[in-house]
Amino acid sequence: MLHIDHIIEQLRSYHPQGDADLLIRASELCQRAHLHQQTPDGRDYLQHTLEVASILARLKVDETTLIVGILHDSLMTGKVEADEIEAEFGHEVLSLIQTGNKISSIPYRQNNRKQVESFRKMFVSMARDLRVILVYLADRLSDMRMITHRDKTEQIAYSRETLEIYAPLANRLGISWLKGELEDLSLQILEPEKYAALARRITAHKEERGEYVEKIRGQICDLLKEHDLQGTVTGRFKHFYSVYRKMERTGVDLDQIYDLTAFRVLVGSVRECYEVLGIIHATWKPIPGRFKDYIAMPKTNMYQSLHTTVIGPYGERMEVQIRTHEMHRIAEEGVAAHWKYKEGGAVAVTGRDDQRFNWLRHVLEWQRDVSTDWSPSGSSYIDLFPEEVYVFTPNGEVKELPKGSTPIDFAYAVHTDVGRQCVGARINGKLCPLKTPLKNGDSVEILTSAHQTPSKDWLSFVKTSKARNKIRQWIKAEQREKSIEIGRDLVEKELRKYQYSLKRAQALDSFNQGIAELGFKTSEDLFAAVGYGKLSAGQVISHTLPKEELKSQTEKTGPIGKVLEKFGRKKPQSAILIGGIDNVMVRFANCCNPLPGEPVTGFITRGRGLTVHAMDCAQVLASDPERRIDVEWDMQRKTSRPVKIQVICTDQKGMLVGMSGAISNADANIVSATVHARGDKKGTNLFEIDVENLEHLNRVIREIKKVKGVLRVERVRN
């Protein structure tokens, strides 16, 4: 059982001047806040908060962070007020707790737009104050250690979230031990059978492997003594999750994985690191392609080490990591290793550390460049947890980019103008297409032209947020100019019906008043809205011309014109409701063919009115967010929509009759049917039918599935 004295002892081990009284008061307040509250495994809740603090102390954090760790859930109980925490421990502690509570209230859902945006905000919070994220990770590790006491469904969701969000985050911060434990605990829940089998097989050979590790460790120590080098050598078994991933990735059995153990050599200087590497390679044969120099080129999370895999003394592969003691401290503690204590206990970052924190400034840059209409995708997820690729400028400067980046990403990383004017690229001296993925070590030269402008096609292959958003900004500005031109022409054409030119109309006081009434600041904003299709030219005329002019024109309208005008006022027969927009032509997208009852969105197409897409249509998700509007089905209006369904069935007599009867029984009309007999004694049937809504379609599908011999029924989108 943990006690606050244990946390104080941990703090004093790396910060002798630490204020123990603050921690004692924090634990007392926590005890009061969580009185009679228990953790899922039945312990007093104070034990959870002290465990969080103990994990944080292992990272050698400051007193403030330890207090936040102890009190991180106190406000949520309702027994402690924010004013009390601020009065007792200061505004900084309160602010960190409130920030953490705000982030923790966001439920994570994979590939959900709101969630990706929320986690982007979490990263910005991290960039402002890393202590929030460290508390976040410590709390998650403590929760995962008692995960088996939760409901099974909750266990799976919690473990998947841990594996997808928290373990990569710990890796991004360079806290390797925390990452490894989170991964192993998650694997135990998500793949219990595989984890148990793996644990059983590895444990069965543990004693034998332990002897092997000790023998090799002794041999490496002897090698260091022979060359007058002082160092520490340790051997360890790889994490279960690391072994599991390798088995899944390579498709091999555990018996075929030879580098289950890794050896670590810690020495005093960088020079000695390379000297040890030479000794290891001279003693045992290195495996080609398995050497990585993270000292010359550190990872973005500040990790530095030499990695090599060799054929060991018993013919087995073994991995050897070589680093200095300082590098090892950074590898174990990550970002926390760079926190220094000034007199009085305040946290500061040195100039050298500030350079290493450069990747955090990238986080702020990502947030600055991402618009409010940013939509998630696989690439966007990679922007949050990127795998890096390192490439060189012609003068030897290293640029770090997400894996899969192209010369366009590189060009925008150099400068926005270089990206905008990019016409070609030389990779390692050879001309290559702009969509070519860059590889580690590539030397890239960008070719530019003052007459070049960004292409919309670039959006299909760029990876970085900066490139993507700069391209979109350019396209949006260019589209606005075209929309203004189109809108001006449409308004001018409508004005001619009233014997007005645009110049004459703009000279009227009523014209400027009409612009303000419609909610626009300038005439260009008004024309752009008309060009985008958000506003009709008729609406502009009705608000900008003098009322007497409009009345006079109405009186001139003959009987036929009044009939036509009456028809023009009829509600659209599209069964679509559009908030705040009238007189817009509506059509339905062929790419997704939405049905009444499905979530839909509208997309304004210049010259073609409003196109209705299914909410999850890939085509509309990749389109300009500025041109989307909210629409919904008018479920009071009965209408029918064509839809295609494909039926796979056995090739036997009477199938077509049975399927046609099923469709009729569901009150649906068959527009067309295509029947094709395949060579595998199966048939493929394509029906186009008219249905009223999504529920009607589902009823049709259920009826068809009842027909004996039907194997599969699915909706076909064009």
Side-chain angles (χ1 to χ4, degrees):
M1 181 177 290
L2 283 172
H3 191 272
I4 191 62
D5 291 342
H6 175 72
I7 312 301
I8 294 170
E9 186 179 338
Q10 284 182 282
L11 174 64
R12 291 273 172 82
S13 69
Y14 60 87
H15 182 37
Q17 292 78 36
D19 191 339
D21 183 55
L22 281 174
L23 298 183
I24 293 172
R25 280 156 42 202
S27 68
E28 291 172 348
L29 184 60
C30 176
Q31 180 72 43
R32 178 157 58 86
H34 297 283
L35 191 65
H36 305 310
Q37 185 179 351
Q38 292 184 326
T39 59
D41 59 353
R43 294 179 299 162
D44 187 278
Y45 201 86
L46 178 65
Q47 287 298 300
H48 163 66
T49 62
L50 291 179
E51 184 176 37
V52 170
S54 180
I55 293 168
L56 290 168
R58 184 174 173 183
L59 296 172
K60 297 181 174 59
V61 300
D62 62 326
E63 296 154 349
T64 299
T65 312
L66 292 177
I67 294 169
V68 173
I70 294 170
L71 299 175
H72 70 279
D73 282 339
S74 296
L75 283 178
M76 294 183 175
T77 65
K79 297 177 181 178
V80 174
E81 297 297 328
D83 293 344
E84 185 176 357
I85 291 178
E86 185 171 18
E88 189 77 15
F89 302 102
H91 178 73
E92 184 180 26
V93 168
L94 175 64
S95 177
L96 292 174
I97 292 173
Q98 289 176 330
T99 302
N101 289 348
K102 187 175 182 180
I103 296 172
S104 64
S105 67
I106 303 169
Y108 172 71
R109 294 184 184 89
Q110 190 179 23
N111 294 330
N112 178 282
R113 170 176 177 164
K114 182 179 179 180
Q115 296 309 306
V116 177
E117 288 180 342
S118 297
F119 279 98
R120 178 195 64 193
K121 293 172 185 175
M122 181 184 74
F123 260 66
V124 176
S125 172
M126 175 185 64
R128 290 174 181 161
D129 201 318
L130 282 169
R131 293 173 291 183
V132 173
I133 303 303
L134 293 176
V135 172
Y136 222 68
L137 288 170
D139 179 48
R140 178 53 60 117
L141 179 56
S142 177
D143 287 343
M144 286 301 296
R145 285 174 176 175
M146 51 186 172
I147 189 67
T148 55
H149 297 275
R150 294 177 180 263
D151 175 77
K152 190 64 179 177
T153 303
E154 191 178 0
Q155 287 183 33
I156 293 173
Y158 214 69
S159 298
R160 182 172 289 111
E161 181 182 350
T162 299
L163 200 57
E164 292 175 351
I165 297 297
Y166 293 90
L169 183 54
N171 181 56
R172 196 70 174 86
L173 295 176
I175 312 172
S176 57
W177 65 267
L178 201 155
K179 164 186 171 285
E181 188 171 349
L182 287 174
E183 288 176 339
D184 284 356
L185 291 168
S186 300
L187 179 65
Q188 188 174 3
I189 300 301
L190 297 175
E191 297 286 354
E193 293 180 2
K194 293 182 179 179
Y195 179 89
L198 193 62
R200 187 169 56 251
R201 294 177 66 184
I202 290 178
T203 305
H205 299 286
K206 193 168 185 179
E207 185 175 342
E208 177 186 336
R209 302 296 296 180
E211 294 177 1
Y212 166 81
V213 168
E214 191 57 34
K215 286 180 181 178
I216 302 300
R217 194 189 74 80
Q219 291 185 30
I220 296 175
C221 288
D222 292 341
L223 287 172
L224 295 181
K225 290 178 182 178
E226 288 177 19
H227 293 82
D228 295 325
L229 291 170
Q230 290 187 344
T232 304
V233 182
T234 57
R236 62 178 178 85
F237 293 99
K238 289 193 172 181
H239 288 290
F240 286 1
Y241 184 78
S242 176
V243 177
Y244 164 78
R245 286 279 294 170
K246 186 163 188 176
M247 290 171 63
E248 292 290 309
R249 186 174 64 251
T250 60
V252 300
D253 189 68
L254 180 65
D255 294 333
Q256 295 173 281
I257 298 179
Y258 300 108
D259 51 346
L260 289 174
T261 51
F263 296 90
R264 184 174 295 136
V265 183
L266 306 182
V267 290
S269 67
V270 172
R271 181 187 62 79
E272 290 177 338
C273 288
Y274 288 99
E275 191 174 345
V276 171
L277 177 68
I279 294 169
I280 296 294
H281 281 183
T283 307
W284 296 298
K285 184 179 179 180
I287 297 174
R290 298 287 297 171
F291 168 66
K292 294 173 184 173
D293 187 345
Y294 293 121
I295 292 180
M297 195 170 288
K299 291 185 178 182
T300 51
N301 59 16
M302 302 170 288
Y303 177 87
Q304 286 184 289
S305 187
L306 296 177
H307 290 196
T308 186
T309 303
V310 298
I311 303 296
Y314 301 103
E316 290 192 11
R317 293 186 179 195
M318 63 180 194
E319 183 183 1
V320 182
Q321 299 174 359
I322 309 163
R323 61 182 75 144
T324 65
H325 293 281
E326 172 66 11
M327 291 173 188
H328 180 64
R329 190 170 68 89
I330 295 169
E332 290 299 298
E333 300 170 19
V335 168
H338 290 276
W339 291 14
K340 308 294 182 185
Y341 280 91
K342 284 184 177 179
E343 189 174 350
V347 178
V349 178
T350 66
R352 175 169 168 266
D353 295 335
D354 183 64
Q355 184 178 5
R356 285 176 161 175
F357 272 65
N358 185 53
W359 71 274
L360 287 177
R361 286 191 287 274
H362 292 329
V363 176
L364 291 174
E365 184 179 349
W366 294 337
Q367 169 67 8
R368 199 164 49 241
D369 285 339
V370 173
S371 71
T372 55
D373 293 302
W374 175 73
S375 58
S377 64
S379 60
S380 66
Y381 190 81
I382 290 173
D383 273 346
L384 294 179
F385 302 100
E387 294 179 47
E388 296 80 21
V389 59
Y390 297 91
V391 294
F392 297 89
T393 64
N395 62 5
E397 182 184 355
V398 177
K399 291 289 181 183
E400 175 197 327
L401 297 167
K403 191 174 182 179
S405 293
T406 65
I408 295 294
D409 297 291
F410 176 86
Y412 275 101
V414 172
H415 196 277
T416 300
D417 289 338
V418 175
R420 188 168 61 242
Q421 298 176 0
C422 177
V423 293
R426 286 194 181 95
I427 302 176
N428 301 324
K430 296 181 180 179
L431 282 171
C432 295
L434 291 176
K435 61 171 63 176
T436 305
L438 299 175
K439 301 189 296 293
N440 274 323
D442 281 345
S443 180
V444 185
E445 178 187 358
I446 300 298
L447 308 177
T448 60
S449 169
H451 305 291
Q452 173 70 0
T453 57
S455 167
K456 192 173 183 179
D457 294 337
W458 291 358
L459 291 172
S460 65
F461 57 79
V462 294
K463 294 292 182 183
T464 59
S465 297
K466 180 177 181 180
R468 189 181 307 114
N469 286 283
K470 293 297 182 184
I471 294 166
R472 280 181 177 164
Q473 288 172 15
W474 177 271
I475 293 171
K476 181 180 175 182
E478 188 178 42
Q479 287 178 337
R480 175 177 165 82
E481 292 300 319
K482 291 180 180 178
S483 297
I484 291 172
E485 185 179 346
I486 292 170
R488 185 183 285 110
D489 290 341
L490 290 173
V491 172
E492 194 165 17
K493 184 178 179 181
E494 189 71 13
L495 282 169
R496 291 196 198 106
K497 297 178 183 179
Y498 296 83
Q499 287 77 49
Y500 269 86
S501 67
L502 180 60
K503 185 176 181 180
R504 181 186 167 200
Q506 286 181 301
L508 298 171
D509 291 336
S510 61
F511 195 90
N512 292 326
Q513 291 173 3
I515 291 174
E517 287 174 5
L518 289 167
F520 299 100
K521 293 183 178 179
T522 66
S523 58
E524 285 197 342
D525 293 338
L526 177 73
F527 296 146
V530 175
Y532 270 120
K534 295 181 178 179
L535 193 68
S536 70
Q539 286 175 289
V540 174
I541 300 304
S542 65
H543 282 79
T544 55
L545 286 187
K547 304 301 180 186
E548 57 270 22
E549 294 278 353
L550 296 172
K551 183 178 179 182
S552 173
Q553 183 66 21
T554 303
E555 292 172 352
K556 294 177 184 178
T557 304
I560 296 177
K562 289 181 179 178
V563 172
L564 292 173
E565 185 177 280
K566 183 179 179 181
F567 275 104
R569 286 199 300 266
K570 278 192 174 182
K571 290 182 73 177
Q573 301 300 310
S574 62
I576 286 291
L577 298 174
I578 312 165
I581 301 179
D582 301 317
N583 301 328
V584 177
M585 181 174 63
V586 176
R587 67 188 188 92
F588 296 91
N590 291 327
C591 54
C592 54
N593 194 23
L595 291 176
E598 287 186 298
V600 288
T601 186
F603 184 76
I604 298 295
T605 308
R606 287 190 296 273
R608 302 178 72 179
L610 176 77
T611 303
V612 179
H613 289 261
M615 188 68 77
D616 58 354
C617 176
Q619 184 169 321
V620 78
L621 288 176
S623 63
D624 182 5
E626 290 292 329
R627 293 168 64 184
R628 296 182 214 158
I629 63 171
D630 293 332
V631 300
E632 62 182 47
W633 294 101
D634 184 357
M635 300 308 291
Q636 302 301 317
R637 186 185 304 280
K638 286 194 174 182
T639 184
S640 63
R641 294 278 304 138
V643 64
K644 292 180 180 179
I645 57 174
Q646 180 177 268
V647 184
I648 307 298
C649 65
T650 56
D651 187 6
Q652 61 186 35
K653 291 181 181 180
M655 288 304 302
L656 184 58
V657 175
M659 290 184 290
S660 301
I663 294 172
S664 298
N665 291 339
D667 298 323
N669 179 50
I670 300 176
V671 178
S672 66
T674 304
V675 180
H676 174 65
R678 296 167 16 179
D680 55 356
K681 295 183 180 181
K682 294 178 183 177
T684 301
N685 309 272
L686 184 65
F687 295 98
E688 183 175 357
I689 60 176
D690 283 333
V691 296
E692 294 178 0
N693 49 42
L694 184 60
E695 183 181 347
H696 190 191
L697 172 62
N698 290 334
R699 190 164 77 248
V700 172
I701 291 174
R702 286 196 299 271
E703 288 296 321
I704 296 174
K705 285 182 176 179
K706 292 178 183 178
V707 177
K708 188 176 181 180
V710 170
L711 304 175
R712 189 170 75 251
V713 186
E714 58 187 16
R715 178 180 175 184
V716 177
R717 297 185 188 269
N718 293 333

